[in-house]
Amino acid sequence: MKILTKEPWQKIDNLRYSSDDAPNTNEVQEKINRKKINDRENRIKQRNLLQQNQFDLETETVIGITNKNNQQKKQEENRRISRKQEKIIKKKKKIKKIIQFLASILFCIGGIVFALVSPLFGIQNIEVVNNEQISTDTIISLSELQIGQNLFKYNRNQVEKNIKTNPYVEKVQIKRRLPNKVEIIVKERIRNFNVEFLNGYAYINNQGYILEIAQQKLELPVIQGISTKQEEIVEGMRLNIEDLDKLETVIQIVNICKNYEIANKITTIDITNKNNFIINMETEKKIIYLGDETNLSNKMLYVPAILEESAGKEGIIYLNGDINNNFKPRFREKV
């Protein structure tokens, strides 16, 4: 097959037109050239557009990754900044606390110094509360507190210890009352019994504390026959263990008598023999042989009736047997 060149084609074209209608050769050529140029420009544009599109895709991908990396960097930077700010804030708070602590210490020191030197806190009044057995002057003297003394310049524990040297004081509490008052609150031991001692008496309470030694007998039951040595009968001390054990029985006897309203009739209780406690009721002219501490309530149950039946008669009431084993309480009149 023979391929036609440019010139044969041109001839064929020229034959298609008559001499009058045939186009100008230059114009045709110009159109062809223009068409080629346009086609080439269009191809260039398409190629450029394609390249541009491809580049944009790549750019977008790169931008996306870049943006992500930038965001991560910003987040890390923000975290670093946050951590740094947090450290700064913590440091500031710590410094603030230290400053507040130091300020508090300085304030306290200033307050203490002022309290110790200011005449405003000089003691002007010492008040003693709840004292009956001991006089107010005695307690103040024992405390060693002085009018005009600074309210904060004494040792409270030492003052309490000084006051408790008095046997009557069981407990004591010291209170500072601003600006210039001291309150001494005492709890006293109560005298419950007389104990025969030489030519006088020792006053004791229910715990066996020796509160006072005196010549005068109080209107209280007298305990006879103690085993505590005379040199051990000292104010502030206690009876020995044997006597303390017997004292518990004596307290039971007195409490039972209170229930029958005859406790005030007891004059003496002899505890010489723990197997036979002896009660003396002088106003009733009766002596009661009580036996040991067993069945005290049952034994004392007979006393009021016997006292009533034998009123005005002097004699002995025998309760020193085993009531649960057919023992019968009895009264024997003195002949």
Side-chain angles (χ1 to χ4, degrees):
M1 182 177 179
K2 186 177 181 180
I3 299 173
L4 296 177
T5 62
K6 182 178 180 181
E7 291 181 356
W9 277 109
Q10 186 66 41
K11 292 179 179 181
I12 293 171
D13 289 336
N14 290 337
L15 292 175
R16 291 179 181 175
Y17 300 95
S18 62
S19 58
D20 295 334
D21 299 330
N24 192 310
T25 302
N26 293 331
E27 292 179 356
V28 172
Q29 186 64 38
E30 185 179 355
K31 288 181 179 180
I32 292 171
N33 293 335
R34 189 181 299 113
K35 185 175 183 302
K36 289 180 179 180
I37 292 170
N38 290 335
D39 292 340
R40 186 169 62 251
E41 289 177 353
N42 288 335
R43 286 195 298 271
I44 292 170
K45 287 181 179 180
Q46 290 178 357
R47 185 170 63 250
N48 292 337
L49 182 60
L50 180 60
Q51 291 177 352
Q52 184 178 1
N53 289 337
Q54 290 176 351
F55 179 78
D56 288 344
L57 291 174
E58 291 178 359
T59 304
E60 287 177 1
T61 304
V62 172
I63 289 172
I65 295 172
T66 304
N67 288 338
K68 186 174 182 181
N69 291 334
N70 289 337
Q71 289 178 358
Q72 290 178 351
K73 289 180 179 179
K74 287 182 179 179
Q75 289 176 355
E76 290 178 0
E77 186 177 356
N78 290 335
R79 283 195 292 269
R80 285 196 299 270
I81 294 173
S82 297
R83 286 194 294 269
K84 185 181 290 186
Q85 289 177 344
E86 186 176 355
K87 289 181 180 179
I88 293 173
I89 292 172
K90 286 183 178 179
K91 189 174 182 180
K92 288 182 178 179
K93 287 183 177 179
K94 188 175 181 180
I95 293 172
K96 186 178 179 180
K97 287 183 179 179
I98 293 173
I99 293 173
Q100 289 177 343
F101 177 71
L102 292 175
S104 299
I105 291 177
L106 291 175
F107 178 79
C108 291
I109 292 173
I112 292 172
V113 172
F114 174 76
L116 293 175
V117 300
S118 174
L120 178 66
F121 297 105
I123 297 175
Q124 298 298 323
N125 185 19
I126 302 174
E127 182 178 358
V128 181
V129 181
N130 296 337
N131 58 312
E132 294 181 1
Q133 306 295 333
I134 320 170
S135 68
T136 297
D137 291 340
T138 299
I139 293 176
I140 293 175
S141 177
L142 288 171
S143 73
E144 298 183 359
L145 295 173
Q146 303 292 330
I147 297 298
Q149 180 181 356
N150 187 278
L151 190 65
F152 302 100
K153 283 188 177 181
Y154 66 84
N155 187 313
R156 184 161 52 188
N157 291 333
Q158 184 60 48
V159 172
E160 292 177 356
K161 185 177 180 181
N162 292 342
I163 296 174
K164 289 180 71 173
T165 56
N166 189 298
Y168 278 102
V169 179
E170 181 177 359
K171 294 181 181 179
V172 60
Q173 186 177 12
I174 308 298
K175 291 186 177 181
R176 296 181 173 95
R177 303 297 188 186
L178 296 177
N180 52 21
K181 179 181 176 181
V182 176
E183 186 178 58
I184 302 174
I185 304 171
V186 297
K187 179 182 179 182
E188 295 179 331
R189 294 186 175 97
I190 299 174
R191 298 174 294 194
N192 299 107
F193 301 99
N194 301 284
V195 174
E196 287 186 346
F197 173 67
L198 296 178
N199 295 325
Y201 299 92
Y203 308 149
I204 67 170
N205 69 343
N206 282 339
Q207 287 77 41
Y209 279 98
I210 301 168
L211 305 180
E212 186 178 350
I213 297 173
Q215 296 295 319
Q216 182 181 1
K217 183 181 74 171
L218 300 177
E219 294 298 322
L220 295 169
V222 177
I223 296 178
Q224 298 174 332
I226 64 171
S227 61
T228 303
K229 296 178 181 180
Q230 293 185 359
E231 60 268 21
E232 294 176 353
I233 305 297
V234 179
E235 293 179 353
M237 301 295 288
R238 297 181 73 185
L239 301 178
N240 63 25
I241 295 177
E242 181 182 351
D243 288 340
L244 290 176
D245 183 58
K246 293 177 181 178
L247 180 62
E248 291 183 5
T249 303
V250 170
I251 293 171
Q252 292 182 47
I253 294 171
V254 173
N255 289 335
I256 294 171
C257 289
K258 286 180 180 179
N259 293 335
Y260 296 117
E261 298 181 352
I262 57 174
N264 59 341
K265 299 180 183 295
I266 297 175
T267 306
T268 64
I269 300 177
D270 192 327
I271 63 172
T272 304
N273 183 359
K274 67 178 182 179
N275 293 318
N276 190 21
F277 290 86
I278 301 174
I279 302 173
N280 185 7
M281 296 183 176
E282 288 184 357
T283 57
E284 296 292 328
K285 301 179 181 180
K286 303 289 190 301
I287 295 176
I288 303 173
Y289 289 169
L290 195 58
D292 60 22
E293 73 274 11
T294 58
N295 296 320
L296 286 176
S297 296
N298 292 336
K299 292 176 183 177
M300 296 302 298
L301 179 65
Y302 293 91
V303 174
I306 294 174
L307 291 178
E308 184 177 355
E309 291 176 0
S310 60
K313 298 178 181 179
E314 184 178 358
I316 300 174
I317 300 175
Y318 293 94
L319 299 172
N320 53 347
D322 187 359
I323 293 179
N324 294 328
N325 192 19
N326 298 323
F327 174 80
K328 293 183 180 180
R330 64 184 184 278
F331 169 72
R332 188 177 70 182
E333 185 177 0
K334 183 177 180 181
V335 178

